[in-house]
Amino acid sequence: MCGIVGAIRANHNVVDFLTDGLKRLEYRGYDSSGIAVFNGEKIKRVRRVGRVQLMEDAAKEKGLFGHIGIGHTRWATHGGVTEPNAHPHISGGLIAVVHNGIIENFEEERTRLQGLGYEFESQTDTEVIAHSVKHEYSLNGGNLFEAVKSATQNFHGAYAIAVIAQDNPEEMVVARMGCPLLIALGDQETFIASDVSAVIAFTRNIAYLEDGDIAVLRASGIEKLIDKTGNPAQRKVKVSELSLASLELGPYSHFMQKEIHEQPRAIADTAEVFLDGGFEPENFGENAREVFNDIDSIKILACGTSYYSALTSKYWLESIAKVPTDVEIASEYRYRDVIANPKQLIITISQSGETLDTMEALKYAQSLGHKHSLSICNVMESALPRESELVLYTRAGAEIGVASTKAFTTQLVVLFGLAVTLGKMRGHISEEQSHAYTEELRQLPGSIQHVLNLEPQIAAWAQKFAKKDSALFLGRGIHYPIALEGALKLKEITYIHAEAYPAGELKHGPLALVDENMPVVVIAPNDNLLDKVKANMQEVGARGGELFVFTDLDSNFNEGEGVHVIRTPRHVGILSPIVHTIPVQLLSYHAALARGTDVDKPRNLAKSEIGRASCRERV
């Protein structure tokens, strides 16, 4: 993903907003950045490879000034990390464009435009947009709205774009298809951004564009807006309640550290719907009871960390609710032949609600005849909830660190609540057992706080990991997905190669990797598989492997040569996977610190939007 911003400010310089907004969007991409503004005579552009600060310094040095402008922070897709590939892209000195997304048919469009005489200076798909709009601008007599409308009809793929023209300095045209874009309204100033965090310091009045929307903006607001059918439309303006403080570090060194420590509160907030209202289907939507009674199975579609939360939930949904559950990576599901079952509930999980592969997978499922869908995400009114029949939002708050932490654990809380809800409806859970689950949820934030208190011990372990090149994570049963998540976190932010396996699979290949240089992290709670995990650990020890064991206070483990043990609080039963997520997050965080990597902005990675937080309609 990339981050885009833009502004028309009748009485203020836009440069300050553009640079501030891009800094807040760096989690979406930080390979390069740039801004383009109209300075009263012509469009002036500054681009730099690297962080936004380098571009900001260059803009200040050049004395960049203007009342209308656009900006972009890039995560490279087409073409390398070079200044010519950085946005904004300009065509003929007349049209400037920033773009988030991927134009899938850009090669055909590039060939077409080259045939019309346009020369390309980058390898990006975005330059196609600039030249296409420029061409249509000439054909439409300098009407920027019509130019963008005509140009977008040629594009296949996903995009959020903002366009300005040198000879039309009073307006900006924006368009959205598959990528998030919002319009923010101030006093004689109008802003656009791919995420609310970029504008919240300037205004809280937000309108979210929908797929197919094209809008003309002026300093006074939205002058014209059409929807995907070409008809005039309006988008409700809402007041964002996202806290500016939630976007600041406060006393923490990194956003990842802050977000790890915010998990007791995030989990308590997310669990509140079940603690106050019980495990009732209406928590998921007005017609959820009818939907849940009509399904015979579940398929969950997700990517990355959300996929691992789905794998965890499969154990709950099948053991508690007795509902057959299948979990698929969204980016794979959407490209294979599928046997559809109209009575299967499709669940999509996404922190942002805008994950393109997951969104397209949902559309694919619906095209095959799946009529029931549920979205679990952290962003109100995002794409996935809008396309889903049912929705339940996590209440993680803004998550800025690229490596997801509290989004993962709050997703698990919602999925657990779903399993218990379905179990009650199907008669597999008594009222007494339901109350017991409620009490376990109520105590969960306190258990997580106890694990956070182990941070100094985990940080000491991390010093050993920082010197390694590879690591192995093991878990059994419902804790195997937590091992997967632990390995993902370690590789994401430390660049240490890490793999995760079910512990029972050791002898089927991974054991060949084990020696004194391969640290082995074991998730070993005091559950019914503990003895089997201990046997797997013996296999590692016999090969000279060094074991790092996360277990429970009431487990019978002894430290010794090559065996290190950290005990979390007493075994918390069925919610143990959530508790054991915290130590592997802390291990990765402190190993990254020891290695000196950029914790919040790991190389080659970026994040989708952090969320709209809660909004209320503007009166």
Side-chain angles (χ1 to χ4, degrees), residues 69 171 197-198 345 370 449 453 458 498 544 548:
E171 71 178 30
S197 60
L345 175 66
H370 288 279
Q449 187 58 57
N453 295 339
I458 297 170
F548 295 83

Side-chain angles (χ1 to χ4, degrees), residues 252-269:
Y252 298 97
S253 300
H254 300 89
F255 281 107
M256 183 178 181
Q257 183 189 33
K258 177 177 186 258
E259 289 154 12
I260 289 172
H261 282 266
E262 286 176 339
Q263 285 176 110
R265 169 51 56 192
I267 285 170
D269 288 345

Side-chain angles (χ1 to χ4, degrees), residues 287-601:
N287 64 327
R289 188 177 296 274
E290 178 183 346
V291 170
F292 291 165
N293 279 326
D294 191 45
I295 63 170
D296 62 11
S297 60
I298 291 172
K299 184 184 291 292
I300 308 179
L301 305 172
C303 300
T305 286
S306 296
Y307 173 69
Y308 295 148
S309 71
L311 287 178
T312 308
S313 72
K314 175 180 170 70
Y315 291 87
W316 287 330
L317 288 163
E318 294 192 338
S319 66
I320 297 174
K322 313 299 183 189
V323 179
T325 301
D326 187 22
V327 179
E328 293 207 40
I329 296 173
S331 58
E332 292 293 319
Y333 172 84
R334 61 181 286 210
Y335 291 116
R336 73 176 185 84
D337 292 333
V338 176
I339 300 173
N341 173 10
K343 295 183 76 65
Q344 187 174 57
L345 175 66
I346 298 294
I347 300 178
T348 55
I349 309 174
S350 166
Q351 187 278 139
S352 68
E354 303 280 355
T355 306
L356 186 59
D357 281 322
T358 308
M359 184 72 237
E360 292 302 316
L362 173 60
K363 291 179 180 178
Y364 179 46
Q366 290 171 335
S367 73
L368 296 174
H370 288 279
K371 62 180 180 177
H372 296 312
S373 57
L374 164 65
S375 169
I376 297 171
C377 81
N378 193 44
V379 183
M380 296 185 73
E381 299 181 17
S382 50
L384 281 166
R386 287 202 307 270
E387 294 294 327
S388 300
E389 187 178 19
L390 306 174
V391 61
L392 185 56
Y393 294 104
T394 59
R395 296 175 64 188
E399 189 181 68
I400 296 173
V402 167
S404 180
T405 52
K406 59 181 180 173
F408 177 74
T409 50
T410 52
Q411 287 169 359
L412 290 177
V413 169
V414 169
L415 289 162
F416 174 74
L418 174 64
V420 178
T421 300
L422 291 172
K424 276 187 63 180
M425 288 184 64
R426 290 164 180 255
H428 301 303
I429 295 175
S430 66
E431 199 62 36
E432 182 181 0
Q433 182 62 67
S434 175
H435 289 315
Y437 285 145
T438 300
E439 192 56 32
E440 289 186 52
L441 259 188
R442 197 182 308 279
Q443 293 179 13
L444 183 59
S447 297
I448 289 174
Q449 187 58 57
H450 281 125
V451 179
L452 290 170
N453 295 339
L454 299 171
E455 188 168 7
Q457 296 169 248
I458 297 170
W461 274 14
Q463 295 298 319
K464 296 177 180 289
F465 274 78
K467 302 171 185 176
K468 303 296 184 179
D469 296 320
S470 297
L472 197 60
F473 285 70
L474 302 177
R476 293 202 75 144
I478 198 169
H479 293 87
Y480 165 54
I482 306 307
L484 287 166
E485 174 66 6
L488 176 63
K489 287 292 160 283
L490 192 69
K491 70 182 76 171
E492 276 183 312
I493 63 171
T494 70
Y495 318 142
I496 295 171
H497 173 253
E499 292 189 68
Y501 283 90
E505 285 293 292
L506 261 178
K507 56 184 172 293
H508 297 294
L511 201 57
L513 297 172
V514 173
D515 61 18
E516 65 276 7
N517 296 314
M518 173 71 79
V520 180
V521 179
V522 185
I523 313 297
N526 189 21
D527 59 14
N528 62 337
L529 292 174
L530 180 60
D531 287 339
K532 294 188 178 298
V533 173
K534 287 182 177 180
N536 301 138
M537 289 169 54
Q538 292 290 336
E539 295 173 331
V540 172
R543 274 77 179 177
E546 189 172 14
L547 289 155
F548 295 83
V549 185
F550 290 116
T551 188
D552 298 323
L553 194 61
D554 45 5
S555 295
N556 183 22
F557 269 101
N558 294 316
E559 288 201 71
E561 185 68 28
V563 181
H564 313 281
V565 179
I566 288 180
R567 291 177 172 83
T568 62
R570 63 173 181 79
H571 184 54
V572 297
I574 201 162
L575 295 176
S576 175
I578 302 177
V579 172
H580 279 276
T581 298
I582 312 305
V584 296
Q585 293 174 349
L586 288 170
L587 179 64
S588 298
Y589 171 73
H590 284 283
L593 289 187
R595 287 172 69 90
T597 61
D598 192 331
V599 174
D600 287 334
K601 301 180 181 70

